[in-house]
Every structure is written in structure tokens, then in C-alpha cells.
């Protein structure tokens, strides 16, 4: 059972683990879009539990199924739009699939192809759990036109493929924000523990943006995040772990690696300075950490992205 509950980094990795055949291939960018009808589910289908490390949008034009996130279950019906973010364990199941488009992407993709302040523009991306939303026929046709353009571009091989997808995804998110979540209210928002998680994620995002811009010279530790909410560090740690499935240290490590990648790709800041901004006393310590997280040294990572022609 434990093997089936591991974190998955991408939709490709999930489908490989679930032994589902698709045309998905692993790539440099953690983005995918497909019509679930092309997956070939043997209906009715129910997945094993998994915890994704990516965001997902589900656009159900014609299909029926259900999702479970921790102890909350949601029915998915025609003209529903469904969103989940990285965190809790979940399962999904389908009884009918005629036309259901799934879009998945990670934080690194968002910040590379949309903008560093993406979570300021789209705060609902940071929330915990949102119910599926049923769209009017008019609105659904509007977003359908956009996700079909994304799907068409995804199946090309042009040099600006992901830049185009990033712009289209931004339009899609603005439409969804304005229609559904301008004044979004996450499930259990009144629950104290959910509020703690949301505040932690928002502070984490702001802090790492400030670190990247050189506006803050001190890297926050667990105690700092606890002090910001006037909580005991042990209590904050237990809440974050129980509600998201990840420890605070894992959240911090993920943000550190993500910001390091971004600065290596998109700036000429010396590696020694990047290390200092991220709280490493020595560049060698940062290099060892980065290689452990990514499999390559900061120097090789920067050089490979300079030569890839993607940026």
C-alpha cells in the first residue's frame, strides 16, 4: 500500500505507475494536456491513492466520475471545471468518458512561462481544496476554445511552443478566476487548520519572491513561519504535515530548489551570490545541496539551459 501512496512528480509518472497507456512522453517541461478518452480507461475505473506534485485542471464536457481528496469526495458531471493543487492524497474514478480534458503543470512551469508573481494574480492556486464548479454553456464554450488551442499547440514541435502555451494558460486562468474564484472561498476556509495552511503557503511564496529579488537577506526557518502566525513551531509543523502530506522542511526545500533553478536559468547572478541569498554559508554547500535535489551541479544546470534554446 505504501508503494502506491508515493508522491508523483508529473502526469506521465502517475500514468506509468498506474499502468495506463497514453501518448505522454517525459520532457524538460512539466506540462501536459490530453483528452482522457485517449487514455483507454477500462470503465468503470478507480485509481490507487497518490499524491501529486503538480496542479491540475479538469474540463468535463461529457463524462461522469468522482474524486476523493483525503476524506472529501466530489462528483464530477458534464460542464464541470475541477481544480486541484499539489498536496493531499487522492484517488479518482470514471464511469463515463466522452470528452474530458486534463491539464497539468508544476510551479516551475508557471513561473517560467507565466510570471514570478503568478500566485498574486491567481491566489486560488494556493488554496487547499475546491469543489468542482458547473459552468454555464456560454462560459464553457469560451474556455473550451482556449484549452483546445493549448492542446493543438502542445502537439506541435515549434521553438516557441511552451511560450505560446504559457500565454494561453494565463488567459485561461484569468477567465476562470473572474468567473468562479474572484472572491473564492475554499472548503473548510473557516476551519482554523485550513487557515493556518493557507497563511503558511502565502508567506512562503512572498518570502521566496523577496529572496530572489534580493529584498530580504534572511532565509526563514520553521520558527519564523510559526512566529508569523503566533504559533508554536511544533504545532505548525504538525498542522502542515497532517493537512498537506508534506513537512514544512519539504515545502522549504522545494521552494529553495525552485528559486535556485529560476535564478540559474534567468539571471547572470554568480552562483556564489545565489547560494548566499538562499542561506548557504558556502557555495560548495549549495552545490552539494542542488546536485542532491536535481542530479546535476548548478554550473551544469545553468549551462544546459543556456544551450537548450528554450529561454
Amino acid at each position: 500500500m505504501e508503494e502506491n501512496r508515493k508522491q508523483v512528480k508529473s502526469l506521465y509518472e502517475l500514468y506509468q505507475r498506474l499502468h495506463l497507456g497514453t501518448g505522454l512522453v517525459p520532457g524538460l517541461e512539466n506540462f501536459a494536456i490530453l483528452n482522457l478518452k485517449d487514455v483507454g480507461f477500462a470503465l468503470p475505473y478507480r485509481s490507487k491513492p497518490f499524491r501529486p506534485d503538480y496542479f491540475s485542471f479538469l474540463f468535463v464536457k461529457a463524462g461522469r466520475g468522482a474524486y476523493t481528496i483525503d476524506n472529501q469526495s466530489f462528483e464530477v458531471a458534464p460542464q464541470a471545471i475541477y481544480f486541484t493543487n499539489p498536496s493531499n492524497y487522492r484517488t479518482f474514478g470514471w464511469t463515463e468518458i466522452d470528452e474530458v480534458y486534463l491539464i497539468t503543470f508544476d510551479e516551475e512551469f508557471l513561473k517560467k512561462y507565466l510570471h514570478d508573481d503568478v500566485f498574486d494574480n491567481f491566489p486560488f492556486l494556493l488554496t487547499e481544496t475546491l469543489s468542482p464548479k458547473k459552468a454555464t454553456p456560454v462560459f464553457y464554450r469560451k474556455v473550451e476554445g482556449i484549452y483546445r488551442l493549448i492542446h493543438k499547440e502542445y502537439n506541435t514541435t515549434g521553438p516557441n511552443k511552451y511560450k505560446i502555451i504559457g500565454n494561453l494558460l494565463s488567459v485561461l486562468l484569468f477567465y476562470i478566476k473572474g468567473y468562479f474564484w474572484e472572491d473564492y472561498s475554499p472548503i473548510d476556509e473557516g476551519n482554523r487548520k485550513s487557515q493556518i495552511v493557507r497563511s503558511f503557503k502565502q508567506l512562503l511564496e512572498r518570502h521566496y519572491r523577496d529572496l530572489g529579488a534580493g529584498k530580504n537577506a534572511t532565509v526563514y526557518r520553521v520558527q519564523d513561519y510559526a512566529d508569523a502566525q503566533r504559533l508554536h513551531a511544533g504545532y505548525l509543523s504538525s498542522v502542515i504535515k497532517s493537512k498537506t502530506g508534506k513537512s514544512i522542511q519539504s515545502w522549504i526545500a522545494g521552494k529553495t530548489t525552485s528559486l535556485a533553478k529560476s535564478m540559474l536559468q534567468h539571471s547572470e547572478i554568480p552562483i556564489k551570490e545565489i547560494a548566499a541569498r538562499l542561506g548557504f554559508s558556502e557555495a560548495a554547500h549549495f552545490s552539494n545541496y542542488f546536485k542532491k535535489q536535481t542530479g546535476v551541479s548548478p554550473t551544469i544546470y545553468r549551462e544546459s539551459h543556456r544551450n537548450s534554446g528554450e529561454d
Side-chain angles (χ1 to χ4, degrees):
M1 182 64 170
E2 187 63 29
E3 174 64 24
N4 294 326
R5 293 175 65 88
K6 288 185 177 179
Q7 176 175 288
V8 290
K9 296 287 188 180
S10 67
L11 186 64
Y12 173 82
E13 183 179 330
L14 172 64
Y15 280 15
Q16 288 289 103
R17 182 166 294 168
L18 297 178
H19 306 292
L20 296 170
T22 72
L24 289 174
V25 295
L28 293 175
E29 307 300 341
N30 193 352
F31 177 93
I33 177 172
L34 74 163
N35 184 351
L36 296 188
K37 188 174 183 178
D38 297 331
V39 175
F41 288 101
L43 301 177
Y45 178 86
R46 183 172 178 81
S47 76
K48 296 176 181 178
F50 66 98
R51 182 162 61 83
D53 195 25
Y54 54 81
F55 301 88
S56 63
F57 275 96
L58 193 69
F59 298 90
V60 185
K61 185 174 183 179
R64 293 187 181 276
Y67 273 68
T68 298
I69 298 179
D70 286 345
N71 296 319
Q72 302 198 51
S73 296
F74 311 99
E75 294 298 320
V76 180
Q79 286 192 189
I81 297 174
Y82 189 88
F83 165 74
T84 63
N85 70 4
S87 63
N88 306 39
Y89 284 109
R90 63 199 61 180
T91 62
F92 64 87
W94 292 102
T95 55
E96 300 176 24
I97 301 176
D98 290 314
E99 186 172 321
V100 180
Y101 275 81
L102 175 65
I103 298 177
T104 64
F105 47 86
D106 64 3
E107 181 179 328
E108 187 176 342
F109 182 89
L110 285 175
K111 294 192 171 182
K112 182 175 181 180
Y113 292 106
L114 275 74
H115 201 277
D116 279 346
D117 63 0
V118 63
F119 296 121
D120 287 343
N121 284 328
F122 310 114
F124 64 86
L125 294 175
L126 291 176
T127 194
E128 286 191 83
T129 308
L130 291 164
S131 295
K133 305 288 184 177
K134 188 174 178 63
T136 64
V138 171
F139 183 77
Y140 195 90
R141 284 195 295 270
K142 181 184 290 189
V143 296
E144 180 185 13
I146 300 171
Y147 71 65
R148 283 184 175 275
L149 284 175
I150 294 174
H151 186 247
K152 181 178 180 180
E153 189 62 36
Y154 181 70
N155 289 305
T156 68
T157 57
N160 296 312
K161 168 179 174 176
Y162 288 109
K163 292 179 180 178
I164 295 171
I165 287 174
N167 281 292
L168 290 170
L169 181 60
S170 180
V171 172
L172 187 63
L173 291 176
F174 272 116
Y175 276 137
I176 290 173
K177 173 188 174 183
Y179 187 77
F180 286 135
W181 292 306
E182 190 63 54
D183 298 311
Y184 75 99
S185 180
I187 292 173
D188 285 338
E189 185 70 338
N191 181 287
R192 176 57 177 153
K193 290 184 178 180
S194 292
Q195 292 175 347
I196 289 172
V197 172
R198 181 186 172 199
S199 295
F200 166 71
K201 288 182 179 179
Q202 290 177 330
L203 178 57
L204 185 73
E205 173 61 29
R206 287 195 302 270
H207 179 55
Y208 273 82
R209 189 171 63 236
D210 288 345
L211 288 176
K215 295 180 180 178
N216 195 324
T218 303
V219 177
Y220 288 174
R221 307 301 177 191
V222 174
Q223 187 64 54
D224 298 303
Y225 290 103
D227 290 344
Q229 297 195 58
R230 299 181 180 179
L231 298 172
H232 187 279
Y235 178 69
L236 176 64
S237 296
S238 68
V239 169
I240 299 302
K241 177 67 175 179
S242 66
K243 295 289 284 183
T244 72
K246 293 167 59 177
S247 66
I248 292 182
Q249 290 84 353
S250 294
W251 281 101
I252 292 173
K255 280 291 186 182
T256 299
T257 303
S258 178
L259 179 56
K261 286 180 176 180
S262 179
M263 288 194 288
L264 289 168
Q265 289 183 56
H266 305 300
S267 77
E268 297 300 323
I269 299 173
I271 290 175
K272 183 177 181 179
E273 184 177 340
I274 292 175
R277 287 195 192 185
L278 294 176
F280 293 88
S281 58
E282 300 288 342
H285 296 163
F286 168 65
S287 294
N288 290 336
Y289 168 86
F290 190 85
K291 187 170 184 179
K292 182 178 180 180
Q293 297 296 317
T294 67
V296 297
S297 69
T299 301
I300 292 176
Y301 184 86
R302 171 171 271 174
E303 290 175 352
S304 67
H305 282 268
R306 280 175 175 167
N307 296 330
S308 68
E310 284 289 336
D311 301 324

